[in-house]
Amino acid sequence: MARGKKRKAARKNKKEEKHEVEEEKKNEKVDVENQEQEEEEEDPKLEDENHDEPKAQEVEKRDEEKAQEVEEEEEGPKKGRKRAKRARTSKREEEPEYFPDQRSLEDLWKEVFPVGTEWDQLDSVYQYNWNFSNLEDAFEDEGELHGKRVYMFGSTEPQMVAFKEQQKIICIPVVVAVVSPFPPSDKIGINSVQRETEEIIPMKRMKMDWVPYIPLENRSSQVERLKSEIFILRCTQRKSALKHLKIERVKKFEYCLPYFYHPFKEDELEQSTVVQILYPIDPKPVFCEFDWEFDETEEFTDKLIEAEELSADQKDAFMKFLKEKVREAKKANKEAREARKKAVEEMSPETKAAYENIQFYKFYPVATADSPDVSDVKAPFINRYYGKAHKVL
């Protein structure tokens, strides 16, 4: 019995202890809730902030969406609801390249054949960017050649000039303009110190002729419909074909001079008393000038022998050769005077007026930064047939 009572008391004690533990936990939970409630009452703003936090996030999201729409509108029109894509440039756009307008008479000086220039020197003539704007300006309003019929030929003059602080011999291109209603001549002169005699032959035998010059602005038009007032001397001999010609024929081109005969003026042949002598003898030919007005034949020959230019055993033969050349020169002068006199008598009044008013203009290139300055070497002399130019530009 006593043992049963003890068990019963023990179970009762356990229940009471369990009840006490549950009561303590319950009291602790109540204390925690009361403490949280007190904290909320002490700081009422905390609840408002927690409550407003989702609203702030919504406002921020709307602001971002609005800003994105503004950016899309600034970039360009939208297709539907899609954002416009920016065009990608693979490389930087190149700036347009500008070229100066081509002048109508820009290539005039190049189209004129440089008569008498050695073939192997032609390329050197065009190695510089020569400027003949003075020639182009002469055909403009109030220019020297405006509204006139002009015949033009070219030549070159080797001169020592300075370029880029260096002195060198340069073949300077020159253009001669002849103002005349008809071609100044259809002949060409062939002469040099190496040749025994002078030749006056038709220029066509040297593949040269006067041809109309077509300005660049009219190149697309039909030539026969154009009324050109500019004629140039052109040579159709191709440089590449020279290797098929004999050396003597090639050299003839280099000895050519544009020919002109003025019937109202005595030329050098009529006035000159000097004879060019080329006495062919081995091993060295004798070259000299004999003036029949001042020189005496035997005395002249003796001086050549003293200078060892002629052997003594050739004295008589040389004197005979010299007298023959003098007779030929005097005869040529007389025939030239008679021919000129006859030509003047048979000439029409219009032709006489043309010869009286004929004018020669000589053009040199103007000074530029990329070409030599030739202003100090300009000269009015053209050649032995034309004499001096009326004006040098």
Side-chain angles (χ1 to χ4, degrees), residues 189-238:
I190 302 176
N191 194 14
S192 73
V193 294
Q194 290 83 8
R195 296 175 62 86
E196 293 184 29
T197 58
E198 177 187 41
E199 287 185 83
I200 308 296
I201 62 174
M203 60 173 58
K204 289 186 177 181
R205 284 175 55 183
M206 301 304 296
K207 294 189 175 182
M208 299 182 195
D209 201 1
W210 300 107
V211 297
Y213 170 78
I214 309 302
L216 290 170
E217 62 184 4
N218 298 329
R219 295 277 167 90
S220 59
S221 305
Q222 294 183 6
V223 177
E224 58 270 15
R225 294 184 179 180
L226 296 173
K227 186 179 179 181
S228 179
E229 293 296 326
I230 305 175
F231 295 85
I232 60 176
L233 188 61
R234 178 169 288 173
C235 179
T236 58
Q237 174 63 53
R238 291 181 296 115

Coordinates of all heavy atoms in Angstrom, one line a residue, residues 189-238:
G189 N 63.2 74.4 -142.0 CA 64.6 74.5 -142.3 C 65.4 73.5 -141.6 O 65.1 73.2 -140.4
I190 N 66.4 72.9 -142.2 CA 67.2 71.9 -141.6 C 68.7 72.4 -141.7 O 69.2 72.5 -142.8 CB 67.1 70.5 -142.3 CG1 65.6 70.1 -142.2 CG2 68.0 69.5 -141.6 CD1 65.4 68.7 -142.9
N191 N 69.3 72.7 -140.6 CA 70.6 73.3 -140.6 C 71.3 73.1 -139.3 O 70.6 73.0 -138.2 CB 70.5 74.8 -140.9 CG 71.9 75.4 -141.2 OD1 72.8 74.6 -141.5 ND2 72.0 76.7 -141.2
S192 N 72.6 72.9 -139.3 CA 73.4 72.7 -138.1 C 74.8 73.0 -138.5 O 75.2 73.0 -139.7 CB 73.2 71.3 -137.5 OG 73.9 70.4 -138.3
V193 N 75.7 73.1 -137.5 CA 77.1 73.3 -137.7 C 77.8 72.1 -138.3 O 78.8 72.2 -139.0 CB 77.8 73.8 -136.4 CG1 77.3 75.1 -136.0 CG2 77.6 72.7 -135.3
Q194 N 77.1 70.9 -138.1 CA 77.7 69.7 -138.6 C 77.4 69.5 -140.1 O 78.0 68.7 -140.8 CB 77.3 68.5 -137.8 CG 77.8 68.4 -136.4 CD 77.1 69.2 -135.4 OE1 76.0 69.8 -135.8 NE2 77.6 69.4 -134.2
R195 N 76.3 70.1 -140.6 CA 75.9 69.9 -142.0 C 76.6 70.9 -142.9 O 76.8 72.1 -142.6 CB 74.4 70.1 -142.1 CG 73.6 69.0 -141.3 CD 72.1 69.3 -141.3 NE 71.6 69.3 -142.7 CZ 71.2 68.2 -143.3 NH1 71.3 67.0 -142.7 NH2 70.7 68.2 -144.5
E196 N 76.9 70.4 -144.1 CA 77.6 71.3 -145.1 C 76.7 72.3 -145.7 O 77.1 73.5 -145.9 CB 78.2 70.4 -146.2 CG 79.3 69.5 -145.8 CD 79.9 68.7 -146.9 OE1 79.9 69.3 -148.1 OE2 80.4 67.6 -146.8
T197 N 75.4 71.9 -145.9 CA 74.5 72.9 -146.6 C 73.2 72.9 -145.8 O 72.9 72.1 -145.0 CB 74.2 72.4 -148.0 OG1 73.6 71.0 -147.9 CG2 75.4 72.4 -148.9
E198 N 72.5 74.0 -146.0 CA 71.2 74.2 -145.4 C 70.1 73.7 -146.3 O 70.2 73.8 -147.6 CB 71.0 75.7 -145.1 CG 69.6 76.0 -144.5 CD 69.4 77.5 -144.5 OE1 69.8 78.2 -145.4 OE2 68.8 78.0 -143.5
E199 N 69.1 73.1 -145.8 CA 67.9 72.6 -146.5 C 66.7 73.3 -146.1 O 66.4 73.5 -144.9 CB 67.7 71.1 -146.3 CG 68.8 70.2 -146.9 CD 68.4 68.7 -146.8 OE1 67.6 68.2 -147.6 OE2 68.9 68.1 -145.8
I200 N 65.9 73.7 -147.1 CA 64.5 74.2 -146.9 C 63.6 73.2 -147.6 O 63.5 73.2 -148.8 CB 64.3 75.6 -147.4 CG1 65.5 76.5 -146.9 CG2 63.0 76.2 -147.1 CD1 65.4 76.7 -145.4
I201 N 62.8 72.5 -146.8 CA 62.0 71.4 -147.4 C 60.5 71.5 -146.9 O 60.3 72.2 -145.9 CB 62.5 70.0 -147.1 CG1 62.5 69.8 -145.6 CG2 63.9 69.8 -147.6 CD1 62.9 68.4 -145.2
P202 N 59.6 71.0 -147.6 CA 58.2 71.0 -147.1 C 58.1 70.3 -145.8 O 58.7 69.2 -145.6 CB 57.4 70.2 -148.2 CG 58.2 70.3 -149.4 CD 59.7 70.4 -149.0
M203 N 57.4 70.9 -144.8 CA 57.4 70.3 -143.5 C 56.7 68.9 -143.4 O 57.0 68.1 -142.5 CB 56.7 71.3 -142.5 CG 55.3 71.6 -142.8 SD 54.4 72.5 -141.6 CE 55.5 74.0 -141.4
K204 N 55.9 68.6 -144.4 CA 55.3 67.3 -144.4 C 56.3 66.1 -144.6 O 56.0 65.0 -144.2 CB 54.2 67.2 -145.5 CG 53.0 68.1 -145.1 CD 51.8 67.9 -146.2 CE 50.6 68.7 -145.7 NZ 49.5 68.5 -146.7
R205 N 57.4 66.5 -145.2 CA 58.4 65.4 -145.4 C 59.0 65.0 -144.0 O 59.6 64.0 -143.9 CB 59.5 66.0 -146.3 CG 59.1 65.9 -147.8 CD 60.2 66.5 -148.7 NE 61.5 65.9 -148.5 CZ 62.6 66.3 -149.1 NH1 62.5 67.4 -150.0 NH2 63.8 65.8 -148.9
M206 N 58.9 65.9 -143.0 CA 59.3 65.6 -141.7 C 58.1 65.3 -140.8 O 58.2 65.3 -139.5 CB 60.1 66.8 -141.1 CG 61.3 67.2 -141.9 SD 62.5 65.9 -142.1 CE 63.0 65.5 -140.4
K207 N 57.0 64.9 -141.4 CA 55.8 64.5 -140.7 C 55.2 65.6 -139.8 O 54.8 65.3 -138.7 CB 56.0 63.2 -139.9 CG 56.3 62.0 -140.8 CD 56.3 60.7 -139.9 CE 56.4 59.5 -140.8 NZ 56.4 58.2 -140.1
M208 N 55.4 66.8 -140.3 CA 54.8 68.0 -139.5 C 53.8 68.7 -140.3 O 53.9 68.7 -141.6 CB 56.0 68.9 -139.2 CG 57.1 68.3 -138.3 SD 58.3 69.6 -137.8 CE 59.6 68.5 -137.2
D209 N 52.9 69.3 -139.6 CA 51.8 70.1 -140.3 C 51.1 70.9 -139.3 O 51.1 70.7 -138.1 CB 50.8 69.1 -141.0 CG 50.1 69.8 -142.2 OD1 50.3 71.0 -142.4 OD2 49.2 69.1 -142.8
W210 N 50.4 71.9 -139.8 CA 49.5 72.8 -139.0 C 48.2 72.1 -138.8 O 47.5 71.7 -139.8 CB 49.3 74.2 -139.6 CG 50.5 74.9 -139.8 CD1 51.2 75.2 -141.0 CD2 51.3 75.6 -138.8 NE1 52.3 76.0 -140.8 CE2 52.4 76.2 -139.5 CE3 51.2 75.7 -137.5 CZ2 53.4 77.0 -138.8 CZ3 52.2 76.5 -136.8 CH2 53.2 77.1 -137.5
V211 N 47.7 71.9 -137.6 CA 46.4 71.3 -137.3 C 45.7 72.1 -136.3 O 46.3 72.8 -135.5 CB 46.6 69.8 -136.8 CG1 47.3 68.9 -137.8 CG2 47.4 69.9 -135.4
P212 N 44.3 72.1 -136.4 CA 43.5 72.9 -135.5 C 43.6 72.3 -134.0 O 43.7 71.1 -133.8 CB 42.1 72.8 -136.0 CG 42.1 71.5 -136.8 CD 43.5 71.4 -137.4
Y213 N 43.7 73.2 -133.1 CA 43.7 72.9 -131.7 C 42.3 72.9 -131.2 O 41.6 73.9 -131.3 CB 44.6 73.8 -130.9 CG 44.5 73.6 -129.4 CD1 45.1 72.5 -128.7 CD2 43.7 74.5 -128.6 CE1 44.9 72.3 -127.4 CE2 43.5 74.3 -127.2 CZ 44.1 73.2 -126.6 OH 44.0 73.0 -125.3
I214 N 41.9 71.9 -130.5 CA 40.5 71.8 -129.9 C 40.6 72.0 -128.4 O 41.2 71.2 -127.7 CB 39.8 70.5 -130.3 CG1 39.9 70.2 -131.8 CG2 38.4 70.5 -129.8 CD1 39.3 71.2 -132.6
P215 N 40.0 73.0 -127.9 CA 40.0 73.2 -126.4 C 39.4 72.1 -125.7 O 38.5 71.4 -126.3 CB 39.2 74.5 -126.2 CG 39.4 75.2 -127.5 CD 39.4 74.2 -128.6
L216 N 39.8 71.9 -124.5 CA 39.3 70.7 -123.7 C 37.7 70.7 -123.6 O 37.1 69.7 -123.6 CB 39.9 70.7 -122.3 CG 41.4 70.4 -122.2 CD1 41.9 70.7 -120.8 CD2 41.6 69.0 -122.6
E217 N 37.1 71.9 -123.4 CA 35.7 72.0 -123.3 C 34.9 71.5 -124.5 O 33.7 71.3 -124.5 CB 35.3 73.4 -122.9 CG 35.6 74.4 -123.9 CD 35.3 75.8 -123.4 OE1 34.9 75.9 -122.2 OE2 35.4 76.8 -124.2
N218 N 35.6 71.5 -125.7 CA 35.0 71.1 -127.0 C 35.4 69.8 -127.5 O 35.1 69.4 -128.6 CB 35.3 72.2 -128.0 CG 34.7 73.6 -127.6 OD1 33.7 73.7 -126.9 ND2 35.4 74.6 -128.1
R219 N 36.2 69.0 -126.7 CA 36.7 67.8 -127.2 C 35.6 66.8 -127.5 O 35.8 65.9 -128.4 CB 37.7 67.1 -126.2 CG 38.9 68.0 -125.9 CD 40.0 67.7 -126.9 NE 41.1 68.7 -126.8 CZ 42.1 68.6 -126.1 NH1 42.3 67.5 -125.3 NH2 43.1 69.6 -126.1
S220 N 34.5 66.9 -126.9 CA 33.4 65.9 -127.2 C 32.6 66.3 -128.4 O 31.8 65.5 -128.9 CB 32.5 65.9 -125.9 OG 31.9 67.1 -125.7
S221 N 32.8 67.4 -129.0 CA 32.1 67.9 -130.2 C 32.8 67.3 -131.4 O 34.0 66.9 -131.4 CB 32.0 69.4 -130.2 OG 31.5 69.9 -129.1
Q222 N 32.1 67.3 -132.5 CA 32.6 66.9 -133.8 C 33.6 68.0 -134.3 O 33.2 69.2 -134.4 CB 31.5 66.6 -134.8 CG 30.7 65.4 -134.4 CD 29.6 65.1 -135.5 OE1 29.6 65.7 -136.6 NE2 28.8 64.2 -135.2
V223 N 34.8 67.6 -134.7 CA 35.8 68.6 -135.1 C 35.4 69.4 -136.3 O 35.6 70.6 -136.4 CB 37.2 67.8 -135.3 CG1 38.2 68.8 -135.8 CG2 37.6 67.1 -134.1
E224 N 34.7 68.7 -137.2 CA 34.4 69.4 -138.5 C 33.4 70.5 -138.3 O 33.2 71.4 -139.1 CB 33.9 68.4 -139.5 CG 32.7 67.6 -139.1 CD 33.1 66.3 -138.4 OE1 34.3 66.2 -138.0 OE2 32.2 65.5 -138.3
R225 N 32.7 70.5 -137.1 CA 31.7 71.5 -136.9 C 32.2 72.7 -136.1 O 31.6 73.7 -136.0 CB 30.5 70.9 -136.1 CG 29.7 69.8 -136.8 CD 28.5 69.4 -136.0 NE 27.7 68.4 -136.7 CZ 26.6 67.8 -136.2 NH1 26.2 68.1 -135.0 NH2 25.9 66.9 -136.9
L226 N 33.5 72.5 -135.6 CA 34.1 73.6 -134.9 C 34.9 74.5 -135.8 O 35.6 74.1 -136.7 CB 35.0 73.0 -133.8 CG 34.3 72.2 -132.7 CD1 35.4 71.5 -131.8 CD2 33.4 73.0 -131.9
K227 N 34.8 75.8 -135.5 CA 35.6 76.8 -136.3 C 36.7 77.3 -135.4 O 36.6 78.2 -134.6 CB 34.7 78.0 -136.7 CG 35.4 78.9 -137.6 CD 34.5 80.1 -138.0 CE 35.2 81.1 -138.9 NZ 34.3 82.2 -139.3
S228 N 37.8 76.6 -135.6 CA 39.0 76.9 -134.7 C 39.8 78.1 -135.2 O 40.0 78.2 -136.4 CB 39.9 75.7 -134.6 OG 41.0 76.0 -133.8
E229 N 40.3 78.9 -134.3 CA 41.2 80.0 -134.7 C 42.5 79.8 -134.1 O 43.4 80.7 -134.2 CB 40.6 81.3 -134.1 CG 39.3 81.8 -134.8 CD 39.4 82.0 -136.3 OE1 40.5 82.5 -136.7 OE2 38.5 81.8 -137.0
I230 N 42.8 78.6 -133.6 CA 44.1 78.3 -133.0 C 44.6 77.0 -133.8 O 44.0 76.0 -133.8 CB 44.0 77.9 -131.5 CG1 43.4 79.1 -130.7 CG2 45.4 77.6 -131.0 CD1 43.2 78.8 -129.3
F231 N 45.8 77.2 -134.4 CA 46.4 76.1 -135.1 C 47.8 75.9 -134.5 O 48.5 76.8 -134.2 CB 46.5 76.4 -136.6 CG 45.2 76.6 -137.3 CD1 44.5 77.8 -137.3 CD2 44.6 75.5 -138.0 CE1 43.3 77.9 -137.9 CE2 43.4 75.6 -138.6 CZ 42.7 76.8 -138.5
I232 N 48.1 74.6 -134.4 CA 49.4 74.2 -133.8 C 50.2 73.4 -134.8 O 49.7 72.7 -135.6 CB 49.2 73.5 -132.5 CG1 48.4 72.2 -132.7 CG2 48.5 74.4 -131.4 CD1 48.3 71.3 -131.4
L233 N 51.6 73.5 -134.6 CA 52.5 72.7 -135.4 C 52.6 71.3 -134.7 O 53.1 71.3 -133.6 CB 53.8 73.3 -135.6 CG 54.8 72.6 -136.6 CD1 54.2 72.6 -138.0 CD2 56.1 73.4 -136.6
R234 N 52.2 70.3 -135.4 CA 52.3 68.9 -134.8 C 53.1 68.0 -135.6 O 53.1 68.1 -136.8 CB 50.8 68.4 -134.6 CG 50.8 67.0 -134.0 CD 49.4 66.6 -133.6 NE 48.9 67.4 -132.5 CZ 47.7 67.3 -132.0 NH1 46.8 66.6 -132.6 NH2 47.4 68.0 -130.9
C235 N 53.8 67.1 -134.9 CA 54.6 66.1 -135.6 C 54.0 64.7 -135.3 O 53.8 64.4 -134.1 CB 56.1 66.2 -135.1 SG 57.2 64.9 -135.8
T236 N 53.8 63.9 -136.3 CA 53.2 62.6 -136.1 C 54.3 61.5 -136.0 O 53.9 60.3 -136.0 CB 52.2 62.3 -137.3 OG1 52.9 62.3 -138.5 CG2 51.1 63.3 -137.3
Q237 N 55.5 61.8 -136.0 CA 56.6 60.8 -135.9 C 56.6 60.3 -134.5 O 56.7 61.0 -133.5 CB 58.0 61.4 -136.2 CG 59.1 60.5 -136.0 CD 59.1 59.3 -136.9 OE1 59.0 59.4 -138.1 NE2 59.2 58.1 -136.3
R238 N 56.4 59.0 -134.4 CA 56.4 58.3 -133.0 C 57.8 58.1 -132.6 O 58.6 57.6 -133.3 CB 55.6 57.0 -133.1 CG 54.1 57.3 -133.3 CD 53.3 56.0 -133.3 NE 53.7 55.1 -134.4 CZ 54.3 53.9 -134.3 NH1 54.6 53.5 -133.1 NH2 54.6 53.2 -135.4

